Amino acid sequence: MLCFKLIVLLLILKLDCTKVANGGHVKPKEEIYTPDYNVYHTANMVYEHLDRLLLKNSPHMKKIGDFKSRQNHDQYLIKVTNYSQIDSKKVKVLFSFGEHAREFFPIESMFYLLENIADGIDSENTIKRNFSGFILNNFEVWIIALANPDGRLYIEWTKNYCWRGTGKGVDINRNFNWSFGGSGSSGNHDDEEYRGEFPFSEPETLIYRSIVSNNTRFDAFFSFHSGIRQIYVPFADTRSRKLNRKPYNYNTMMELASALAHSTQHTFSYGVAYKLNEYSADGAVFDYMAGVHKIPFSLAVELWGIGDHKGAKCFDLFNPTNQNLKDEVKVVHPLYEVLFLYLFQWKMKMMETHKHLSTKGNTSKWFRLEYFVRGITVFVILGLMLRIYTMRRLSRLWNKVKKLHRIFYSYWYYMYEKLSWGPTVMNHLAVSWGPTW
């Protein structure tokens, strides 16, 4: 009977039943509360809200590309920046929302962030205007707004708020090419951590590979989730746990994680993922960004929740009540503010260091060249002085030799004239030394 109702529902929505029926299955629970779509966004409402924002703020917010899910639903990649200021020095950040279907809260926090940026553009409020100007003039914020639309729609159709994966049941956060296939994922279609058949087997993950493979060199990547207040630094995979492996930028990542953990009225725990959790996660996107693409900052941020606990169902485990949603997105917003401020200061420091090293390198180069030229000049001068000195010594020696020759020749001439030694010896001397030397 349940299957019959599901089939009828899917036919009404004009969807292919086999796309969902073949997927993994996470059993629904009797929920404590469910989303009120006057407060939360449905998938279609996400699209409509983003369309309105982009239409109203077209000089600063634009849709990039046309990335689709397996069932051809839009993942909606947008880029937020001041397009009138093209500056390669801007901090480039990539945000990922909606990877897991049951985690509604991160997308709601995304809208609160975007609305704050948009509202401040022409605001008379100095604080709002400065915040918007700071983001737009100093950052390129790339946002994957709905990474897993099929999974989100599946929840709306079935009311199964425990559903985590895509419409096919794949956890896209286990489908990346970093330790893919390890024990921190599952090859079982019925497991909520089903990894898929091979790395990037799911169209939903291709958007990530496409973005980071273009000419944009990102400074930071953030994968936003909910369920507990924790901030994860790479790595999360099984092999890294065994090797005690950490990313090359570990210390700076931990510094940022600490700043984020203390940015709101709530306390976040933070650290290396395989130390913070009892389980490992193989094929995770933030590991992929840190391990394969060496993005300086790659963190997974759990924005809301207290973790699994007695009496928890599904929707309440990952999302606040309808009544508290508005307050909770406000409470978590300072985390984004601290994130932007830290990255901006880090970028400025890196540029200053690079400039200093570049200047030092040029100065050192010219310093070496200057002393090389000086050395050559001194060498030439010493050579000339030595040559002059040598020539003078040789000239004096030559004069002495000629003087001795004249004395010697005069002596032999005297012997020839006075003693009549005969012409034989003198002729021989004349032939050997010549009449003049």
Side-chain angles (χ1 to χ4, degrees):
M1 188 65 182
L2 179 61
C3 183
F4 175 75
K5 290 181 179 179
L6 177 60
I7 292 173
V8 172
L9 178 62
L10 293 175
L11 288 174
I12 292 173
L13 293 171
K14 299 180 181 180
L15 295 168
D16 184 359
C17 177
T18 59
K19 289 179 180 178
V20 175
N22 291 334
H25 181 69
V26 179
K27 293 181 179 180
K29 297 179 181 180
E30 186 176 347
E31 298 291 342
I32 299 173
Y33 55 87
T34 57
D36 177 356
Y37 290 121
N38 291 314
V39 179
Y40 280 94
H41 288 74
T42 64
N44 286 331
M45 290 167 68
V46 169
Y47 297 141
E48 291 170 1
H49 195 164
L50 288 170
D51 286 341
R52 291 196 303 271
L53 276 170
L54 268 61
L55 181 62
K56 184 179 178 181
N57 303 282
S58 57
H60 305 102
M61 300 181 182
K62 297 183 185 296
K63 185 179 179 184
I64 307 296
D66 189 27
F67 298 96
K68 303 290 187 180
S69 66
R70 184 174 292 279
Q71 295 177 15
N72 203 39
H73 296 113
D74 204 341
Q75 293 177 286
Y76 222 113
L77 174 66
I78 63 175
K79 180 181 173 183
V80 180
T81 191
N82 185 348
Y83 282 88
S84 66
Q85 293 183 0
I86 302 174
D87 188 354
S88 61
K89 298 176 183 178
K90 287 183 178 180
V91 185
K92 297 173 179 60
V93 185
L94 175 59
F95 288 165
S96 173
F97 295 93
E99 295 166 27
H100 292 148
R102 62 196 180 191
E103 299 170 13
F104 287 33
F105 181 73
I107 293 177
E108 302 302 328
S109 75
M110 173 195 74
F111 277 117
Y112 190 80
L113 170 64
L114 290 175
E115 288 289 358
N116 270 271
I117 294 173
D119 290 346
I121 293 174
D122 297 318
S123 175
E124 295 181 359
N125 185 304
T126 304
I127 296 176
K128 290 184 177 180
R129 188 172 62 252
N130 288 345
F131 173 73
S132 298
F134 173 67
I135 301 299
L136 296 172
N137 295 328
N138 296 294
F139 288 84
E140 287 184 11
V141 185
W142 298 63
I143 299 176
I144 302 173
L146 189 54
N148 178 18
D150 295 356
R152 183 63 174 268
L153 287 167
Y154 180 86
I155 288 179
E156 295 175 22
W157 303 329
T158 64
K159 312 301 180 186
N160 181 357
Y161 297 100
C162 295
W163 193 262
R164 173 184 170 104
T166 64
K168 187 182 174 183
V170 177
D171 180 354
I172 65 172
N173 206 26
R174 300 293 183 273
N175 192 238
F176 289 86
N177 191 25
W178 178 267
S179 293
F180 178 85
S183 59
S185 63
S186 175
N188 182 358
H189 287 71
D190 294 330
D191 194 299
E192 68 172 16
E193 293 189 59
Y194 173 51
R195 60 180 170 258
E197 297 175 6
F198 51 86
F200 298 107
S201 62
E202 306 311 301
E204 289 83 354
T205 57
L206 298 180
I207 183 174
Y208 297 88
R209 186 172 67 179
S210 177
I211 294 171
V212 297
S213 297
N214 66 16
N215 293 327
T216 302
R217 296 179 62 86
F218 286 99
D219 297 296
F221 169 77
F222 295 88
S223 174
F224 291 104
H225 299 267
S226 58
I228 194 171
R229 292 186 178 93
Q230 289 187 334
I231 300 169
Y232 303 120
V233 170
F235 295 102
D237 63 288
T238 306
R239 180 168 174 77
S240 292
R241 180 189 291 270
K242 292 179 180 177
L243 298 176
N244 196 31
R245 177 167 52 188
K246 296 174 184 176
Y248 81 94
N249 199 30
Y250 168 74
N251 290 330
T252 315
M253 281 197 207
M254 285 293 289
E255 187 176 75
L256 172 57
S258 175
L260 297 179
H262 299 92
S263 61
T264 75
Q265 67 186 52
H266 297 293
T267 301
F268 287 73
S269 55
Y270 66 96
V272 177
Y274 61 70
K275 291 184 177 180
L276 211 55
N277 287 326
E278 296 179 357
Y279 62 89
S280 57
D282 293 305
V285 61
F286 80 115
D287 277 1
Y288 167 75
M289 294 297 183
V292 175
H293 290 282
K294 309 298 182 186
I295 293 178
F297 295 92
S298 181
L299 280 73
V301 181
E302 299 267 4
L303 292 169
W304 182 91
I306 60 174
D308 199 4
H309 57 280
K310 185 177 181 180
K313 301 302 181 178
C314 281
F315 191 78
D316 64 295
L317 187 61
F318 300 99
N319 308 284
T321 64
N322 300 295
Q323 294 79 5
N324 292 336
L325 176 62
K326 186 176 180 180
D327 292 334
E328 292 294 344
V329 293
K330 288 182 180 179
V331 167
V332 80
H333 183 69
L335 183 143
Y336 291 102
E337 295 175 344
V338 171
L339 181 155
F340 285 121
L341 181 59
Y342 181 93
L343 290 177
F344 174 76
Q345 292 174 341
W346 169 82
K347 184 82 170 187
M348 294 302 102
K349 187 184 297 183
M350 292 296 292
M351 290 172 57
E352 187 63 30
T353 302
H354 178 74
K355 181 180 178 181
H356 175 71
L357 291 175
S358 177
T359 304
K360 183 178 179 180
N362 291 334
T363 302
S364 178
K365 180 178 71 174
W366 287 111
F367 180 82
R368 291 193 299 269
L369 179 60
E370 178 185 358
Y371 274 85
F372 175 76
V373 172
R374 287 185 181 183
I376 292 295
T377 303
V378 170
F379 179 79
V380 170
I381 292 172
L382 288 175
L384 290 173
M385 290 175 66
L386 181 62
R387 181 178 178 83
I388 293 171
Y389 174 76
T390 304
M391 290 299 295
R392 288 179 178 177
R393 291 292 300 274
L394 288 175
S395 177
R396 292 171 185 172
L397 181 62
W398 184 249
N399 290 332
K400 290 180 179 180
V401 170
K402 288 196 293 183
K403 184 177 181 180
L404 290 173
H405 171 257
R406 285 194 295 271
I407 294 171
F408 181 75
Y409 192 84
S410 298
Y411 171 76
W412 282 104
Y413 181 78
Y414 171 79
M415 296 297 292
Y416 175 78
E417 290 291 338
K418 299 295 182 180
L419 302 178
S420 301
W421 280 7
T424 305
V425 174
M426 295 306 297
N427 290 341
H428 175 72
L429 291 173
V431 172
S432 301
W433 292 349
T436 58
W437 201 351

